[in-house]
Amino acid sequence: MELFAAGDESQMETIRRWIDQSDVYMLILGGRYGSVDQTTSLSYTELEFDFAASQGIPSFSVVATEDAIDAKVKELGREAIDSEYGKELKLFREKVLSRISSFFDDPKDIKLAVHETLADFSTRKKFIGWVRGDEVKDQEPLLDEITQLSKRNATLTTKVAQLEKKLQAIKYSDKGGWTDEDFKEIFSLLLPGPARTLGNLGWRDK
């Protein structure tokens, strides 16, 4: 319950909004029924489970085995299970097990169930993702900018390679130093645009 922030939105409205924004609903059901909504006399967990089903959200549940619950009781005492809403929990558990679900004895079983189920869902269902694809604005300007930057990067990469090749050629030449033509060629690679100048050498290329 600590997850709900103070505000005008009710807890159930918050739950519905979260589920509506989700691609998958997953339930981990142990030995407690959960906080109960006084209006419906159902736990918020059961209400969200029902809402996800009504919205057609792909759902799966991981349910603690009786052995796992007994082990928890031995570890933590009777407070590990819900004695007040035992009947409601039993009925809810039966409802959950009537849909896609698996059992767990150990937390590692939960990880395995999540991995296997999501992998299966991803091959059969079209997920939009946390940032919903149908909410993304026009991407054309961004794609155009990325294309232009990619072209610019390719051009600069080519120029760097040409410059390195030229510098290596000058280094190992037998001319004894750089000529005006060497400088002119190097500056033609370094300086963009139609006009390139090298004032101290007294030449201009238009």
Side-chain angles (χ1 to χ4, degrees):
M1 303 298 288
E2 292 80 2
L3 291 175
F4 297 104
D8 295 333
E9 192 175 55
S10 71
Q11 293 174 357
M12 200 57 220
E13 287 173 335
T14 301
I15 289 172
R16 288 170 178 161
R17 176 168 54 82
W18 285 349
I19 293 175
D20 278 334
Q21 294 173 349
S22 301
D23 286 326
V24 176
Y25 172 79
M26 172 188 171
L27 169 67
I28 301 176
L29 184 61
R32 302 189 64 82
Y33 186 54
S35 300
V36 172
D37 172 45
Q38 298 304 314
T39 303
T40 62
S41 297
L42 297 175
S43 70
Y44 286 103
T45 303
E46 184 166 2
L47 288 171
E48 68 182 32
F49 179 85
D50 291 342
F51 180 74
S54 71
Q55 297 302 104
I57 303 293
S59 306
F60 71 100
S61 304
V62 189
V63 182
T65 63
E66 295 294 343
D67 289 342
I69 294 175
D70 289 342
K72 208 67 176 176
V73 171
K74 291 179 181 179
E75 178 186 355
L76 302 176
R78 299 298 297 177
E79 63 182 28
I81 60 174
D82 202 331
S83 56
E84 182 178 359
Y85 296 100
K87 179 181 178 181
E88 289 82 357
L89 175 60
K90 181 177 182 296
L91 293 174
F92 180 41
R93 183 184 175 94
E94 292 174 355
K95 179 196 294 187
V96 170
L97 292 175
S98 69
R99 299 173 61 86
I100 297 177
S101 57
S102 60
F103 289 102
F104 74 90
D105 285 305
D106 187 90
K108 68 176 183 296
D109 298 330
I110 299 176
K111 295 180 182 179
L112 180 61
V114 171
H115 177 76
E116 291 179 343
T117 306
L118 289 181
D120 176 57
F121 278 2
S122 66
T123 62
R124 297 187 293 107
K125 302 180 184 297
K126 184 178 180 181
F127 293 150
I128 297 175
W130 182 249
V131 179
R132 304 187 72 88
D134 55 359
E135 295 177 353
V136 176
K137 303 299 182 182
D138 183 15
Q139 300 181 53
E140 286 301 321
L142 178 59
L143 293 176
D144 289 341
E145 183 178 356
I146 292 174
T147 299
Q148 293 301 319
L149 289 173
S150 297
K151 290 180 179 179
R152 177 64 175 161
N153 181 64
T155 299
L156 291 175
T157 300
T158 300
K159 285 189 174 183
V160 169
Q162 292 173 343
L163 183 58
E164 289 177 344
K165 183 177 180 180
K166 179 61 180 176
L167 292 175
Q168 285 294 104
I170 294 173
K171 180 179 179 181
Y172 294 107
S173 70
D174 57 0
K175 292 183 291 187
W178 289 20
T179 66
D180 286 358
E181 289 301 318
D182 291 332
F183 277 107
K184 183 177 179 180
E185 185 173 352
I186 290 172
F187 269 76
S188 71
L189 293 172
L190 290 174
L191 302 179
R196 302 178 178 89
T197 62
L198 189 59
N200 61 341
L201 290 179
W203 61 266
R204 178 182 293 271
D205 182 15
K206 295 183 179 180

